[in-house]
Amino acid sequence: MASSPSSLQVFGLRLGPGSDLLKSLQDFVVQAGLRAPFVVSCVGSLTSARLRLANATATNTNEVLELSGRFEIVSLVGTLNPEAHLHLCLSDSEGRCVGGHVLGNLSVFTTAEVVLGEALDLSFSREMDPQTGFPELVVEKRDRD
């Protein structure tokens, strides 16, 4: 289902070594009062990540990959409403890639340069979807503050 077009606001962040990427993004969203935030771009590196793999279901959530080492962030996409829904792709020192649904433990190695967007005319929330068994995105039109 398509939603209405929305005006856009953009924010740039740089996180330093040792920062928790997910927590830092969630904290920024709360502090800035964003209601429909999403990741536009992210480049940088991590030393750890916890990802849920594609084979997981609502009843089989143990398909989890714990990563430790040095990884380049190849892609980070998703929404950052109160229950963030992010997917991450990382490459290792040999260029091999792995990705999945972000569960946490995203520790920045050297930097994370992030561009966030907010749809100013929309509001994002999540509601449990009985068909998928997961909280899924709900997009609502909002009046401009």
mmCIF file of all heavy atoms in Angstrom, residues 22 26 29 37 78-86 101-102 124-128 134-137:
data_model
loop_
_atom_site.group_PDB
_atom_site.id
_atom_site.type_symbol
_atom_site.label_atom_id
_atom_site.label_comp_id
_atom_site.label_asym_id
_atom_site.label_seq_id
_atom_site.Cartn_x
_atom_site.Cartn_y
_atom_site.Cartn_z
ATOM 1 N N LEU A 22 23.538 1.517 16.946
ATOM 2 C CA LEU A 22 22.083 1.450 17.079
ATOM 3 C C LEU A 22 21.585 2.344 18.198
ATOM 4 O O LEU A 22 20.663 3.141 18.006
ATOM 5 C CB LEU A 22 21.634 0.003 17.304
ATOM 6 C CG LEU A 22 20.137 -0.203 17.504
ATOM 7 C CD1 LEU A 22 19.330 0.310 16.314
ATOM 8 C CD2 LEU A 22 19.836 -1.668 17.777
ATOM 9 N N GLN A 26 19.090 5.609 17.896
ATOM 10 C CA GLN A 26 17.827 5.661 18.641
ATOM 11 C C GLN A 26 17.795 6.852 19.591
ATOM 12 O O GLN A 26 16.773 7.526 19.706
ATOM 13 C CB GLN A 26 17.601 4.349 19.387
ATOM 14 C CG GLN A 26 17.286 3.199 18.444
ATOM 15 C CD GLN A 26 17.222 1.858 19.151
ATOM 16 O OE1 GLN A 26 18.060 1.544 19.996
ATOM 17 N NE2 GLN A 26 16.218 1.066 18.811
ATOM 18 N N VAL A 29 17.153 10.032 17.581
ATOM 19 C CA VAL A 29 15.748 10.114 17.161
ATOM 20 C C VAL A 29 14.885 10.641 18.306
ATOM 21 O O VAL A 29 14.038 11.516 18.106
ATOM 22 C CB VAL A 29 15.252 8.733 16.666
ATOM 23 C CG1 VAL A 29 13.733 8.680 16.570
ATOM 24 C CG2 VAL A 29 15.883 8.406 15.321
ATOM 25 N N PRO A 37 11.533 8.702 11.070
ATOM 26 C CA PRO A 37 12.939 8.699 10.670
ATOM 27 C C PRO A 37 13.344 7.438 9.915
ATOM 28 O O PRO A 37 12.795 6.359 10.132
ATOM 29 C CB PRO A 37 13.669 8.773 12.014
ATOM 30 C CG PRO A 37 12.759 8.065 12.955
ATOM 31 C CD PRO A 37 11.358 8.340 12.475
ATOM 32 N N GLY A 78 16.733 1.164 6.633
ATOM 33 C CA GLY A 78 15.573 0.873 7.459
ATOM 34 C C GLY A 78 15.000 2.096 8.128
ATOM 35 O O GLY A 78 15.407 3.231 7.874
ATOM 36 N N THR A 79 14.029 1.824 8.999
ATOM 37 C CA THR A 79 13.332 2.876 9.729
ATOM 38 C C THR A 79 13.783 2.874 11.183
ATOM 39 O O THR A 79 14.209 1.852 11.712
ATOM 40 C CB THR A 79 11.804 2.669 9.655
ATOM 41 O OG1 THR A 79 11.476 1.374 10.151
ATOM 42 C CG2 THR A 79 11.311 2.822 8.223
ATOM 43 N N LEU A 80 13.661 4.041 11.823
ATOM 44 C CA LEU A 80 14.147 4.214 13.192
ATOM 45 C C LEU A 80 13.052 4.687 14.142
ATOM 46 O O LEU A 80 13.326 5.428 15.066
ATOM 47 C CB LEU A 80 15.301 5.215 13.207
ATOM 48 C CG LEU A 80 16.618 4.669 12.696
ATOM 49 C CD1 LEU A 80 17.557 5.794 12.307
ATOM 50 C CD2 LEU A 80 17.241 3.780 13.752
ATOM 51 N N ASN A 81 11.833 4.260 13.893
ATOM 52 C CA ASN A 81 10.775 4.566 14.849
ATOM 53 C C ASN A 81 11.115 3.853 16.156
ATOM 54 O O ASN A 81 12.129 3.162 16.217
ATOM 55 C CB ASN A 81 9.416 4.156 14.279
ATOM 56 C CG ASN A 81 9.435 2.758 13.710
ATOM 57 O OD1 ASN A 81 10.209 2.481 12.804
ATOM 58 N ND2 ASN A 81 8.635 1.883 14.247
ATOM 59 N N PRO A 82 10.319 3.984 17.217
ATOM 60 C CA PRO A 82 10.743 3.421 18.506
ATOM 61 C C PRO A 82 11.266 1.990 18.452
ATOM 62 O O PRO A 82 12.203 1.661 19.158
ATOM 63 C CB PRO A 82 9.480 3.524 19.361
ATOM 64 C CG PRO A 82 8.793 4.728 18.816
ATOM 65 C CD PRO A 82 9.059 4.704 17.333
ATOM 66 N N GLU A 83 10.688 1.129 17.646
ATOM 67 C CA GLU A 83 11.259 -0.202 17.439
ATOM 68 C C GLU A 83 11.953 -0.173 16.082
ATOM 69 O O GLU A 83 11.324 -0.397 15.057
ATOM 70 C CB GLU A 83 10.177 -1.281 17.443
ATOM 71 C CG GLU A 83 9.614 -1.582 18.807
ATOM 72 C CD GLU A 83 8.672 -2.755 18.761
ATOM 73 O OE1 GLU A 83 9.075 -3.839 18.295
ATOM 74 O OE2 GLU A 83 7.523 -2.573 19.181
ATOM 75 N N ALA A 84 13.226 0.123 16.075
ATOM 76 C CA ALA A 84 13.971 0.252 14.815
ATOM 77 C C ALA A 84 13.886 -1.037 14.004
ATOM 78 O O ALA A 84 13.911 -2.137 14.555
ATOM 79 C CB ALA A 84 15.432 0.579 15.110
ATOM 80 N N HIS A 85 13.764 -0.888 12.700
ATOM 81 C CA HIS A 85 13.812 -2.035 11.783
ATOM 82 C C HIS A 85 14.909 -1.728 10.770
ATOM 83 O O HIS A 85 14.700 -1.014 9.801
ATOM 84 C CB HIS A 85 12.472 -2.244 11.092
ATOM 85 C CG HIS A 85 12.454 -3.473 10.249
ATOM 86 N ND1 HIS A 85 11.417 -3.757 9.406
ATOM 87 C CD2 HIS A 85 13.334 -4.497 10.119
ATOM 88 C CE1 HIS A 85 11.660 -4.906 8.783
ATOM 89 N NE2 HIS A 85 12.829 -5.360 9.196
ATOM 90 N N LEU A 86 16.094 -2.252 11.059
ATOM 91 C CA LEU A 86 17.270 -1.985 10.233
ATOM 92 C C LEU A 86 17.849 -3.282 9.692
ATOM 93 O O LEU A 86 17.864 -4.303 10.385
ATOM 94 C CB LEU A 86 18.346 -1.281 11.058
ATOM 95 C CG LEU A 86 17.993 0.078 11.643
ATOM 96 C CD1 LEU A 86 19.106 0.555 12.565
ATOM 97 C CD2 LEU A 86 17.718 1.091 10.554
ATOM 98 N N HIS A 101 19.051 -8.740 9.715
ATOM 99 C CA HIS A 101 18.255 -7.821 10.523
ATOM 100 C C HIS A 101 19.047 -7.457 11.780
ATOM 101 O O HIS A 101 19.509 -8.343 12.506
ATOM 102 C CB HIS A 101 16.935 -8.519 10.898
ATOM 103 C CG HIS A 101 16.081 -7.753 11.833
ATOM 104 N ND1 HIS A 101 15.091 -6.908 11.402
ATOM 105 C CD2 HIS A 101 16.064 -7.705 13.191
ATOM 106 C CE1 HIS A 101 14.487 -6.378 12.460
ATOM 107 N NE2 HIS A 101 15.069 -6.839 13.544
ATOM 108 N N VAL A 102 19.210 -6.175 12.042
ATOM 109 C CA VAL A 102 20.001 -5.708 13.184
ATOM 110 C C VAL A 102 19.295 -6.025 14.498
ATOM 111 O O VAL A 102 18.156 -5.628 14.713
ATOM 112 C CB VAL A 102 20.264 -4.192 13.085
ATOM 113 C CG1 VAL A 102 20.896 -3.660 14.376
ATOM 114 C CG2 VAL A 102 21.132 -3.871 11.889
ATOM 115 N N PHE A 124 5.676 7.102 11.779
ATOM 116 C CA PHE A 124 5.929 5.664 11.715
ATOM 117 C C PHE A 124 5.673 5.047 13.089
ATOM 118 O O PHE A 124 6.092 5.586 14.108
ATOM 119 C CB PHE A 124 7.379 5.362 11.342
ATOM 120 C CG PHE A 124 7.794 5.777 9.964
ATOM 121 C CD1 PHE A 124 9.134 5.873 9.646
ATOM 122 C CD2 PHE A 124 6.873 6.069 8.972
ATOM 123 C CE1 PHE A 124 9.559 6.239 8.380
ATOM 124 C CE2 PHE A 124 7.280 6.442 7.699
ATOM 125 C CZ PHE A 124 8.629 6.528 7.405
ATOM 126 N N SER A 125 5.035 3.908 13.084
ATOM 127 C CA SER A 125 4.891 3.104 14.297
ATOM 128 C C SER A 125 4.929 1.642 13.868
ATOM 129 O O SER A 125 5.052 1.341 12.685
ATOM 130 C CB SER A 125 3.587 3.437 15.036
ATOM 131 O OG SER A 125 2.468 3.142 14.227
ATOM 132 N N ARG A 126 4.823 0.751 14.828
ATOM 133 C CA ARG A 126 4.831 -0.694 14.535
ATOM 134 C C ARG A 126 3.672 -1.349 15.259
ATOM 135 O O ARG A 126 3.369 -1.001 16.398
ATOM 136 C CB ARG A 126 6.145 -1.334 14.970
ATOM 137 C CG ARG A 126 7.298 -0.794 14.178
ATOM 138 C CD ARG A 126 8.433 -1.795 14.042
ATOM 139 N NE ARG A 126 9.250 -1.355 12.944
ATOM 140 C CZ ARG A 126 9.104 -1.742 11.683
ATOM 141 N NH1 ARG A 126 8.200 -2.617 11.361
ATOM 142 N NH2 ARG A 126 9.867 -1.272 10.737
ATOM 143 N N GLU A 127 3.032 -2.274 14.565
ATOM 144 C CA GLU A 127 1.966 -3.072 15.152
ATOM 145 C C GLU A 127 2.211 -4.527 14.803
ATOM 146 O O GLU A 127 2.686 -4.838 13.709
ATOM 147 C CB GLU A 127 0.606 -2.636 14.617
ATOM 148 C CG GLU A 127 0.172 -1.276 15.088
ATOM 149 C CD GLU A 127 -1.196 -0.874 14.538
ATOM 150 O OE1 GLU A 127 -1.877 -1.704 13.887
ATOM 151 O OE2 GLU A 127 -1.573 0.293 14.748
ATOM 152 N N MET A 128 1.868 -5.405 15.742
ATOM 153 C CA MET A 128 2.031 -6.827 15.513
ATOM 154 C C MET A 128 1.147 -7.253 14.342
ATOM 155 O O MET A 128 -0.032 -6.916 14.288
ATOM 156 C CB MET A 128 1.664 -7.624 16.773
ATOM 157 C CG MET A 128 1.924 -9.100 16.647
ATOM 158 S SD MET A 128 3.637 -9.533 16.242
ATOM 159 C CE MET A 128 4.465 -9.168 17.763
ATOM 160 N N PHE A 134 5.499 -10.703 13.351
ATOM 161 C CA PHE A 134 6.446 -9.658 13.724
ATOM 162 C C PHE A 134 5.732 -8.313 13.796
ATOM 163 O O PHE A 134 4.723 -8.098 13.116
ATOM 164 C CB PHE A 134 7.571 -9.545 12.688
ATOM 165 C CG PHE A 134 8.527 -10.709 12.687
ATOM 166 C CD1 PHE A 134 8.476 -11.663 11.676
ATOM 167 C CD2 PHE A 134 9.485 -10.852 13.677
ATOM 168 C CE1 PHE A 134 9.359 -12.730 11.668
ATOM 169 C CE2 PHE A 134 10.375 -11.905 13.678
ATOM 170 C CZ PHE A 134 10.311 -12.855 12.666
ATOM 171 N N PRO A 135 6.274 -7.354 14.576
ATOM 172 C CA PRO A 135 5.738 -5.992 14.530
ATOM 173 C C PRO A 135 6.119 -5.366 13.192
ATOM 174 O O PRO A 135 7.296 -5.319 12.851
ATOM 175 C CB PRO A 135 6.413 -5.274 15.694
ATOM 176 C CG PRO A 135 7.374 -6.229 16.308
ATOM 177 C CD PRO A 135 7.337 -7.510 15.554
ATOM 178 N N GLU A 136 5.128 -4.937 12.438
ATOM 179 C CA GLU A 136 5.362 -4.392 11.092
ATOM 180 C C GLU A 136 5.052 -2.898 11.051
ATOM 181 O O GLU A 136 4.302 -2.371 11.872
ATOM 182 C CB GLU A 136 4.510 -5.146 10.054
ATOM 183 C CG GLU A 136 4.747 -6.651 10.027
ATOM 184 C CD GLU A 136 6.127 -7.086 9.534
ATOM 185 O OE1 GLU A 136 6.968 -6.232 9.164
ATOM 186 O OE2 GLU A 136 6.387 -8.299 9.531
ATOM 187 N N LEU A 137 5.626 -2.231 10.065
ATOM 188 C CA LEU A 137 5.513 -0.778 9.912
ATOM 189 C C LEU A 137 4.078 -0.334 9.647
ATOM 190 O O LEU A 137 3.383 -0.909 8.817
ATOM 191 C CB LEU A 137 6.408 -0.313 8.756
ATOM 192 C CG LEU A 137 6.459 1.186 8.494
ATOM 193 C CD1 LEU A 137 7.129 1.914 9.656
ATOM 194 C CD2 LEU A 137 7.197 1.459 7.196
#
